[in-house]
Amino acid sequence: MSEAEDRTELLKKLDEEGDIAADYLEELLDIADLDGDIEISVEADRASVAIVSDGTDRRLKRLVGRHGEVLEALQELTRLAVQSQTGERSRLMLDIGGYRAARKEEIAAIARDAVAEAESSGEPVSLEPMNPFERKVVHDIVAAAGLSSDSEGYGPQRHVIITLPEESADFPEESADEEVVDETVTESAESSE
């Protein structure tokens, strides 16, 4: 299969995931008697589904919850609904009322500030705990800035640490073997005098 055919097949699969997710979410909105339109797209090789409202139904914000906790749970339920239909794990992203898009901008600003702090201080910068989506945003910003980042911790305490790139890759240190060779050469030169 050619690269173009692979890409076409991937987009077809992601569109199918989006359609399944949209059907699931429409049913959920009907059961909860909530108004909202569903938009389906593909972003960064993931199906992306958004529930949007014209602003008349403020109850839709309840589906976001405190700090996006309900949104995260609904995303997982939607992924499971897709998986039950396709038989494959979904990486689908769900947004409700633009919450995730706005949060992405907030996290990006935090990441840019942390990158600037790491560059100016030369010290690692540890961020507050974040969910996987937020950590991914940080990792992408850090990589684009040419720095390094790692996630540490477990569960709700998992957070990102930003560091400068490894200097050892740019300036290799002498190995112990090289030092021994240097001493041997010096001793040989001294003994021949």
Side-chain angles (χ1 to χ4, degrees), residues 30-46:
D30 287 344
I31 291 169
D33 194 28
L34 295 172
D35 292 326
D37 295 322
I38 297 182
E39 297 177 352
I40 304 168
S41 62
V42 174
E43 297 174 18
D45 291 339
R46 287 181 177 204

Side-chain angles (χ1 to χ4, degrees), residues 178-193:
E178 291 176 46
E179 292 172 13
V180 170
V181 169
D182 289 343
E183 288 175 12
T184 307
V185 170
T186 306
E187 288 174 10
S188 296
E190 289 173 358
S191 61
S192 62
E193 291 179 358

Side-chain angles (χ1 to χ4, degrees), residues 30-95:
D30 287 344
I31 291 169
D33 194 28
L34 295 172
D35 292 326
D37 295 322
I38 297 182
E39 297 177 352
I40 304 168
S41 62
V42 174
E43 297 174 18
D45 291 339
R46 287 181 177 204
S48 179
V49 179
I51 300 174
V52 296
S53 174
D54 59 7
T56 58
D57 193 348
R58 295 171 28 117
R59 297 177 304 151
L60 199 58
K61 289 185 178 180
R62 292 181 186 159
L63 295 180
V64 173
R66 185 175 161 261
H67 302 296
E69 291 170 346
V70 176
L71 172 59
E72 289 294 325
L74 284 174
Q75 177 175 279
E76 287 307 310
L77 289 172
T78 305
R79 286 176 173 178
L80 288 171
V82 170
Q83 182 177 352
S84 73
Q85 295 271 329
T86 64
E88 295 181 23
R89 185 178 184 284
S90 172
R91 296 176 51 231
L92 172 131
M93 293 298 294
L94 174 63
D95 192 5

Side-chain angles (χ1 to χ4, degrees), residues 95-112:
D95 192 5
I96 299 175
Y99 173 83
R100 196 176 296 275
R103 185 69 180 145
K104 182 178 182 177
E105 289 305 313
E106 289 175 33
I107 295 297
I110 290 168
R112 285 189 291 272

